[in-house]
Amino acid sequence: AATIPRIPSTRLALHHFDTNYSLQLQDRWPSIRVSLLCEQKYGALVNNFACVDHVTQELELQNATDFVSEAAKKVQRLQQGSAVEAERGESVSQEGSGGGRTMTPAETSPLLPSSISSNIKCYTFPRGDITRFRPAWPDTLGFLSYYLMDAASLLPVLALNVQPDDFVLDLCAAPGGKTLALLQTGACGHLAANDVSISRTKRLHQILNSYVPKNIRESVSVTSYDGRDWGELEGGTFHKVLVDVPCTTDRHSVMEESNNIFHRRRTKERQMLPMLQLQLLMAGILATKPGGEVVYSTCSLSQLQNEYVIE
């Protein structure tokens, strides 16, 4: 043990991904591998509780665009185009087969949530532009103007499609980016933000204090329970539940030595992740009202942590 060279956790992670993802992703893996090893590109989630107009003007002057509204425009164009195609298809179907109807992409695709036109705004620089946003600044009320996060982290929040007065549970909430994004919708009747780690929930409290007015914070309950027990604690309570589970966090695993899940001492913990994820998902389902919705998400490419957990 004393003489074997110490292999960095990041190298162990990359070797693991090369072995597994090359089989899973095949021809796509080389380009995805490059992306994982590139510097992370952040988005700026605009804080609607700050002076929004001033913030958006400054971001647009830097040549950043709101990717959420841009996506909404693309969806609208697709829906308009597909509606025309549907009319043509319907008339053809009626002529040829007695009244069949062609479904539009907007009707058949689960990737076009109505919440894409929500109050959430997140600015990113164009593809190929690696400019970094400057640190957020406080407005006259002392609230920070935007929150820097991986823009892809907003996708689970958009998919959750929160409606006015929904009771929402963020089961694994810390450090708080998705919790903050949920509050930006302005739709949560009540938001429960939970994380098993007390130190991480302290960070969540700091974010809420820096970005959210007191009267809004009062509608948020922050707890540190084991998420696996939530179905027993508050079963059948929530309209929407976000289960953003602990995972191998692939980019962090290949870039950072600190707190790396591929450290040899954490091998057993890593191997048990799919079981933990399954237990958290089950707890999230049990916490949901009949007819409610659950979104399960990870920041991993692993089928073991994604498709197989769902199956």
Side-chain angles (χ1 to χ4, degrees), residues 257-308:
E257 276 297 308
S258 64
N259 198 32
N260 195 310
I261 192 72
F262 282 86
H263 192 286
R264 292 189 185 280
R265 293 176 183 171
R266 301 183 70 186
T267 300
K268 188 68 174 177
E269 179 187 351
R270 189 179 76 249
Q271 291 171 343
M272 293 300 293
L273 275 175
M275 180 56 69
L276 171 63
Q277 293 160 345
L278 176 61
Q279 292 169 334
L280 288 167
L281 176 55
M282 291 301 297
I285 292 170
L286 291 172
T288 310
K289 287 176 176 286
E293 297 178 34
V294 179
V295 168
Y296 172 84
S297 63
T298 77
C299 18
S300 171
L301 297 167
S302 167
Q303 288 180 324
L304 284 174
Q305 299 174 64
N306 290 294
E307 291 89 341
Y308 295 160

Side-chain angles (χ1 to χ4, degrees), residues 62-89:
Q62 297 177 51
N63 199 33
T65 56
D66 173 20
F67 90 86
V68 181
S69 63
E70 289 296 315
K73 292 173 186 175
K74 290 179 183 177
V75 169
Q76 190 174 22
R77 288 196 296 269
L78 178 61
Q79 289 172 334
Q80 290 171 347
S82 61
V84 173
E85 290 298 320
E87 289 177 7
R88 293 173 182 166

Side-chain angles (χ1 to χ4, degrees), residues 43-57:
L45 173 67
V46 174
N47 184 15
N48 292 328
F49 305 115
C51 300
V52 176
D53 291 339
H54 175 67
V55 175
T56 55
Q57 287 173 8

Side-chain angles (χ1 to χ4, degrees), residues 66-234:
D66 173 20
F67 90 86
V68 181
S69 63
E70 289 296 315
K73 292 173 186 175
K74 290 179 183 177
V75 169
Q76 190 174 22
R77 288 196 296 269
L78 178 61
Q79 289 172 334
Q80 290 171 347
S82 61
V84 173
E85 290 298 320
E87 289 177 7
R88 293 173 182 166
E90 186 172 358
S91 62
V92 170
S93 298
Q94 287 172 345
E95 290 172 10
S97 58
R101 182 174 180 277
T102 304
M103 298 296 286
T104 70
E107 293 172 305
T108 58
S109 174
L111 300 177
L112 304 178
S114 60
S115 63
I116 204 158
S117 58
S118 71
N119 294 325
I120 294 176
K121 299 180 181 67
C122 186
Y123 280 77
T124 58
F125 290 110
R127 184 186 295 272
D129 185 342
I130 58 171
T131 304
R132 298 185 71 84
F133 292 101
R134 71 182 180 92
W137 64 94
D139 67 357
T140 53
L141 297 175
F143 298 118
L144 294 175
S145 49
Y146 52 71
Y147 179 82
L148 296 179
M149 64 190 300
D150 188 326
S153 295
L154 283 183
L155 299 180
V157 175
L158 290 169
L160 202 59
N161 195 18
V162 178
Q163 299 300 304
D165 300 323
D166 273 352
F167 275 45
V168 182
L169 169 62
D170 188 354
L171 192 61
C172 308
K178 294 182 181 68
T179 303
L180 182 60
L182 286 165
L183 291 173
Q184 300 305 314
T185 66
C188 298
H190 174 72
L191 175 60
N194 179 74
D195 198 276
V196 69
S197 168
I198 294 175
S199 62
R200 284 165 62 87
T201 50
K202 287 181 180 177
R203 168 66 177 151
L204 176 56
H205 275 295
Q206 290 173 353
I207 288 175
L208 292 175
N209 290 333
S210 299
Y211 287 88
V212 182
K214 184 178 179 182
N215 64 313
I216 304 295
R217 294 200 304 270
E218 289 173 350
S219 69
V220 183
S221 59
V222 179
T223 54
S224 295
Y225 297 119
D226 186 329
R228 293 173 290 185
D229 300 329
W230 199 275
E232 300 170 14
L233 294 167
E234 286 189 72

